[in-house]
Structure formats: C-alpha cells, structure tokens
Amino acid sequence: LPAFLWLALRSRSLFFFNAANPSLEFGGMAMDSKWKMYSLVPNSYLPKMMLVEQGVSPDELVHRLRSEGFRYPLVLKPDIGLKGLGVQFLDGEEHLAGALAEYPGRLIIQEKIPHSKEAGIFYVRLPGTESGQITGIVHKSFMSICGDGLHTLGELIEANPRLQRQKQALKSMFAQRWEEVLPEGKGETLLPVGSHTRGARFEDRSGLHNSTLENTFDRICRQIPGFYYGRLDVLYDDWEGLCRGENFMIVEVNGAKSEPTHMYDPSHSLLFAWKEIVRHWKIMARISRINRELGYRDPPFWSSLRALIDNFRLERGLRKLSGLE
C-alpha cells in the first residue's frame, strides 16, 4: 500500500494504472471485457470462440454451436471475470442449460485448446520504443491427484492439504465419482485451469528466458493495439516450439491487474513477492506517465472508483459460483 500510494502521488493520479493499456477498460485493471481483449489479438493465436449475450436460450445456443461447427469439449467463462473464477468445461449439450442458468452476464464459449502445458509470460514495453521485454515466466501445474489403488477420489482430496480450499467445489464437480477408487499410479487432473485461485501450482521459470522467446512475444504483443503491460497466459506442448512461436494458443491477455505470478512459486519468500510487485508497479506507473504525455485522457474519477468497487463485488459473486465461499 505505501508503494502504491507513492507511485500514485508521483503519477498525480490515484488510478494511474488506467493509462497502462489505453485499448483496455481502465487499463485492464477492472471490469474489462475479455471479448474486447480477444478482438485485439490476431485470430491465429486464439481458439475458436463465440460471445453469448445474457438471456439467450439453451436451444438457441445449441443451434448456434451446431451451425458454426463447434466441437466438444467446450470452455465457458464469464466475459468479465478474473482468477479463473466461473470457468467451466462442458463435454456435451446436456450441461449447457444448467451452465447458462448460473451465469449472471455475458459468456464466452471456446473450443478447448488441445495443448497440455500452461505458462504465463509477463511482457512490458515503454510507449514509443521499438521493442519490449519479458520480466517473468511462470509454469502452471493444474490441480491434480494420483491414485494409490486403496483410497477413493474423495479420500485423496480430503488428505491433500493443498486442496482444502477447493474441497466443496470439487465435491460438487465430482459428486458421482467421489467414492471411486483410483488405480495405483493413475494421475487425475481435477481442474485444467491455470489459476492459483483454482488450485494450480505456480513455478518460477524466469530462468528459461531467452532472446528467441522475447522476440516472439514482442512480435505478438506489438500486434495488440494499445498494449504495453501485462501477462499472456498460453497453452503449449513443447517449450522450444513456444519460443519459436509454434504450436501454442493464447488463453488470455491480462492487463494492469496482472500479477507477476512467478512470485507464487513456493520456494520464494514473501519479501521476494513484495519486491516483484513493486518492481512491476514501477514499470506500470512509468508506462502510464508516458501515455499521458502522449495524450491519454483518464476516465472520470468516480467511474474508476465505481469500476474497482464493481470488480470486488464481481469477484465475490464468481467465488461463490465456483464454490469457493
């Protein structure tokens, strides 16, 4: 908080982050539309997707999915969301009606990306400069367990300390398999969502940074209008291929609210995390000051404040929807 207030004072704006990414609502800090963000990214980096307006009927949605050739499994996510909250995976049409009834706003439906590994690449670029840089890399291990041939799925979840905050959500998701005994050595991915809030484990892979990867993501990010600061979450199969920009897809582009998620590696200290947050906020404040000098005009004070309040309320609602409250 002291660091944030000092940067706000230097920037002469409590909401200095608004100018970090001029093409995103409030710089991507609050109430930013994923659909708008996706519209800025070249289609070649994205899975097939559609926007679903609030109030659409299940029959109408099924017709659209069929007519546009969508293939299951599908991923549903709120258009305005965060931290992987509210993300669902659907294996067939029979689950669509129930999923639609749960969501209060617009939805995005995507075909499930076939790649098995997820990474977060933090990217920054000063406006007016030729190239940007990568400031952190995180590898995300999805929430999973391994069977021992003796204990049920439920017992394995109950015995895992890391899964205790997810227990109620998992019990709802795996109600029909809760008493199933997993064979010895069989791994089970419980939720393929690369979010710390949804039980994923984060590992700092910043040491894998290389010029090929940086050039690749600099080229990609420079194709996204008005994007200077944030994290690209990507799914891929092969690290060398990702570095070359091959066989990967972008899951999301996160703006000013992006965390340097490599700080969540369990081997790092709290002091390290604080230093990484402040380091990135300093960069964000500098980018914002330059964009203001170039003519960016802030939204009204009360609009920014209301967006932050709405964002907190949205998170509470999505946590409840995801069974985390």
Side-chain angles (χ1 to χ4, degrees):
L1 183 59
F4 178 85
L5 292 176
W6 170 244
L7 291 170
L9 183 63
R10 286 194 63 195
S11 302
R12 299 182 181 180
S13 171
L14 186 61
F15 306 110
F16 63 87
F17 47 78
N18 284 339
N21 299 301
S23 59
L24 301 178
E25 290 96 342
F26 307 103
M29 177 63 80
M31 302 305 291
D32 48 317
S33 165
K34 296 181 189 297
W35 186 256
K36 181 177 180 180
M37 174 272 294
Y38 287 133
S39 71
L40 301 174
V41 179
N43 285 334
S44 58
Y45 302 126
L46 298 172
K48 186 174 181 177
M49 66 179 74
M50 72 162 59
L51 179 66
V52 181
E53 296 290 349
Q54 187 174 7
V56 67
S57 70
D59 289 342
E60 181 183 352
L61 180 55
V62 167
H63 175 74
R64 281 188 62 193
L65 291 170
R66 289 177 177 174
S67 63
E68 296 184 28
F70 277 79
R71 295 175 296 178
Y72 291 88
L74 298 175
V75 182
L76 271 72
K77 60 177 70 174
D79 177 40
I80 300 177
L82 67 168
K83 300 181 179 179
L85 298 170
V87 175
Q88 292 190 37
F89 293 83
L90 301 180
D91 292 322
E93 295 175 354
E94 63 274 13
H95 303 298
L96 269 175
L100 281 179
E102 291 181 352
Y103 285 90
R106 301 198 309 179
L107 290 171
I108 293 173
I109 292 184
Q110 299 174 335
E111 288 189 344
K112 188 174 183 295
I113 297 173
H115 307 310
S116 60
K117 299 176 183 177
E118 183 166 344
I121 311 293
F122 211 110
Y123 172 87
V124 301
R125 179 168 66 89
L126 297 180
T129 58
E130 288 298 319
S131 59
Q133 60 179 310
I134 291 172
T135 59
I137 302 169
V138 65
H139 171 72
K140 306 180 181 186
S141 298
F142 301 136
M143 180 167 55
S144 61
I145 56 173
C146 186
D148 60 5
L150 301 173
H151 296 91
T152 66
L153 181 68
E155 289 170 340
L156 292 171
I157 290 173
E158 295 270 4
N160 190 321
R162 187 171 180 82
L163 303 183
Q164 295 315 296
R165 289 183 180 270
Q166 312 287 334
K167 188 166 58 177
Q168 290 303 117
L170 292 171
K171 196 164 188 176
S172 175
M173 291 167 56
F174 292 95
Q176 296 182 346
R177 298 184 55 199
W178 199 250
E179 300 301 324
E180 177 184 330
V181 176
L182 292 184
E184 184 176 2
K186 181 187 178 184
E188 181 87 20
T189 298
L190 301 175
L191 187 65
V193 176
S195 167
H196 206 247
T197 309
R198 304 303 303 274
R201 180 185 176 92
F202 287 3
E203 300 167 12
D204 189 351
R205 299 289 177 85
S206 300
L208 295 178
H209 176 280
N210 60 70
S211 59
T212 304
L213 180 74
E214 187 159 271
N215 290 337
T216 292
F217 277 84
D218 185 49
R219 183 178 69 252
I220 294 169
C221 291
R222 288 178 64 84
Q223 294 178 65
I224 304 175
F227 179 73
Y228 299 98
Y229 176 95
R231 192 188 68 249
L232 280 72
D233 294 329
V234 300
L235 282 168
Y236 69 100
D237 286 320
D238 173 72
W239 180 255
E240 287 72 24
L242 176 64
C243 291
R244 296 190 300 269
E246 301 169 355
N247 298 320
F248 81 98
M249 285 189 177
I250 294 175
V251 181
E252 283 190 0
V253 178
N254 303 277
K257 68 170 171 278
S258 299
E259 294 177 307
T261 45
H262 56 279
M263 72 183 183
Y264 286 121
D265 188 312
S267 67
H268 287 320
S269 67
L270 180 60
L271 180 60
F272 175 89
W274 285 344
K275 289 170 65 177
E276 284 299 278
I277 291 172
V278 173
R279 177 169 76 97
H280 283 79
W281 279 357
K282 285 180 177 178
I283 298 171
M284 179 166 61
R286 186 179 177 192
I287 290 171
S288 298
R289 287 196 296 270
I290 295 173
N291 276 329
R292 284 192 175 88
E293 291 169 2
L294 293 173
Y296 175 84
R297 297 183 63 183
D298 277 296
F301 176 91
W302 294 110
S303 297
S304 299
L305 181 60
R306 185 166 56 248
L308 287 177
I309 294 171
D310 288 345
N311 209 74
F312 283 125
R313 289 173 176 165
L314 174 69
E315 181 175 352
R316 289 187 63 184
L318 290 175
R319 289 181 72 88
K320 200 169 185 179
L321 176 64
S322 301
L324 299 179
E325 281 194 1

